[in-house]
Amino acid sequence: MNPLLSVRDLKVHFPVHGGLLMRRIAAVKAVDGVSLDILPGETLGLVGESGCGKSTLGKAIVRLNPITAGAVHFNGRDITRLSSGMLRPLRRDLQMIFQDPAESLNARHSVREILEEPFLIHGVGTAAERRQWIAGLLDRVGLPAASADRYPFEFSGGQRQRIGIARAIALKPKLIICDEPVSALDVSVQSQVVNLLLELQREMGLSYLFIAHDLAVVKHISDRVAVMYLGKIVELADSETIYHSPRHAYTKALLSAIPHPDPTREVRRMPLDGDVPSPINPPAGSAFGHRLGHPHYEETVGMDMRLVEIAPRHWVAADPCCLVEEDWQKVRGMMNSDVAVGK
Amino acid sequence: MSDGEVLLEVEELITAFDTDRGLIRAVDRVGFTVKRGRTLGIVGESGCGKSVTAMSIIRLLPQPAGRILQGRVMFKGRDLTKIPAKELRKVRGGEIGVIFQEPMTALNPVHRIGRQLSECFLLHKKMSRKEAWEASVEMLRLVRIPSPEMRMGDYPHQLSGGMRQRVVIAMALACRPDLVIADEPTTALDVTVQAQILDLMGRLREELGMALILITHDLGVIAENCDDVVVMYAGRVVEKAPVKELFARPLHAYTRGLLASIPRMDSAPKSVLPTIPGMVAGMADFVPGCRFCQRMERRGPTLRERPDFIEASPGHWVEACPICYAGKEENP
């Protein structure tokens, strides 16, 4: 199956200005060489801590962030450099849901106006048809028909997210970038929205890029999961694999930090100090090895630490500081034989 | 005083807010006890009254709208709802430390860390500036902030979110309080930092022999960090029990629904999650009777009269609505 979305070596760097003349003095390497594929009907989860670049990546894919280097192919087309006019017809197929629907919905527009906008922009339907479609959308996301004439502030957080979802599915897209869509919701409402997203995917054959920091939610909704650290993907595998046999030290640390809702379970954490380092001046070698204070960190400076397929469908960064010895030997062997280059 | 002795007892607390729609009860006859050296978790969804309950204990309610209408908050023999403001200020920050969700709300952005931390000692302990400074460095070391002497000269914005929360914890613990109230202390932090902070708080609680009230919406945090749990729904306590008991034998329909609806690491991928239908009613619309029945859109007598709060088994209390409390039959 051909991927619906294909991202290759994507970089998003933001300039940092400073000094007397506000010259460009540095760059925030928010996304620094990311490659991934999303298949039709698939959910790829993207996890990592704040500042790792996951939201920046999501926005760059829909071209809401400038792309510094690399390529984004969507539905077989290179959309990396398309002008906004050329991009518009593609936006029908490529939508986004945000964390805080209160901020992404225009407070001065009624729900009807919010949901009608995509149809108007893309010039589809008569007024009567649009009316009918809006009623259908509201029903589909579980809101009463009377919601159409109300305003976003009249709704709870969960209902507002339903409005955001209705808007995103209005034009029957192929891919939706979901940026922390349930993070701000209460537990009981969160499960309602997760179920809705799963139902819509089954009915409409949607693909999702599901960005979140809650690993349990991501595991539940995703087919595959990518773990991001400091602008790079460090591990990517089927979600069961990521959770049951993680290879990268960062994935392991992240998993061990999750609190489990089971008081009889023994808490065993990987000791981990400090925070994510700054993407302005990232460590020159193994980024996570640096945080761990790994004794061999210095040897990784300047090293090629691309993703290698260590097991079928299981990719991990070739980082000697973050792999157990056995895995590292295997990865090194693969890199030398050049079997698994790229991705 | 020894472990197991009651340190704080909240009884029949009612806290209300003046609104356009009249006096609204955000906390409606809530009660629980905190024992010395133990951690009590208060869990519930937004608007359930968990933060208002905590803020009522130390009388930090939004003024002039919020007020305590009824109830007692007995702390070491005194009723905190009755003592004069001056005395209360000594309790707050002295005997009771407070940690909020967003460290920036607790820190003053224009003052250096050292000055803010020293202030706790200068206000509550009879210390000279030099002594207060040294004690502050010691506190930063205790919460494991690297190179504490240097950090004393930093402004809050120069620290990361996790480091800031450590400073707030240092401030809350500075005067060796008997009780710390932590309102969603790690919600704004990443999981790895959350784990560090919670482990740190647990360790310090043990070392310093404090009691802790941990308010959170995260049942995972409750399971791993608390001894006892209070489950709040719509301004009331619907269930309370020791943590293992609550997770093993939840008795109230709301607690059961909440526990079922969290995705777990071992749940089947992409399966339908159990949900609690509907949503919490607005505070102004709360019924006098069972509010979970209200959410379930049930009609009839359970909405009219408040269910009794009963001790279903030793130490395990539940709001015994005839529909929502399904205890006895299923748990012999």
Side-chain angles (χ1 to χ4, degrees), chain A residues 107-184:
Chain A
R108 292 168 181 278
H109 286 181
S110 69
V111 171
R112 180 184 311 288
E113 289 169 305
I114 288 167
L115 295 182
E116 194 168 27
E117 200 172 24
F119 299 122
L120 292 175
I121 288 174
H122 292 277
V124 285
T126 62
E129 279 172 329
R130 290 196 295 267
R131 223 180 162 75
Q132 203 185 332
W133 291 338
I134 290 166
L137 283 171
L138 287 174
D139 181 55
R140 185 61 206 88
V141 298
L143 289 173
S147 311
D149 297 310
R150 291 162 64 190
Y151 288 82
F153 73 87
E154 298 179 68
F155 295 88
S156 69
Q159 290 173 319
R160 277 200 292 261
Q161 196 55 285
R162 288 174 192 270
I163 299 169
I165 292 171
R167 180 177 62 178
I169 62 169
L171 296 166
K172 301 196 166 59
K174 294 191 167 73
L175 173 66
I176 301 179
I177 310 289
C178 310
D179 189 5
E180 303 265 11
V182 297
S183 308

Side-chain angles (χ1 to χ4, degrees), chain A residues 49-50 159 186 188 191-192 195 201 219-221 223 240 243 258-263 269 272 274-275 291, chain B residues 45-46 160 190 192 194-196 199 220 223-224 247 261 264-265 267-271 273 275-276 278-279 295:
Chain A
E49 293 176 281
S50 42
Q159 290 173 319
D186 272 320
S188 72
S191 56
Q192 295 171 4
N195 285 346
Q201 178 168 53
K219 175 181 182 263
H220 190 83
I221 205 164
D223 298 291
E240 289 290 331
Y243 287 85
I258 308 171
H260 287 259
D262 176 6
R269 288 207 216 295
L272 178 63
D275 305 292
R291 178 163 167 189
Chain B
E45 298 179 283
S46 32
S160 68
D190 281 312
T192 60
Q194 164 172 286
Q196 294 167 24
D199 292 349
E224 293 192 353
F247 279 76
S261 64
R264 288 165 196 260
M265 284 305 176
S267 62
K270 304 192 110 171
S271 58
L273 287 171
T275 60
I276 304 174
M279 53 185 177
R295 175 168 180 164

Side-chain angles (χ1 to χ4, degrees), chain A residues 37-69:
Chain A
D37 287 340
I38 299 180
L39 300 174
E42 182 190 45
T43 302
L44 178 69
L46 185 59
V47 297
E49 293 176 281
S50 42
C52 74
K54 56 190 192 300
S55 288
T56 308
L57 172 61
K59 287 190 184 133
I61 288 170
V62 294
R63 294 278 313 277
L64 288 175
N65 272 335
I67 292 170
T68 310

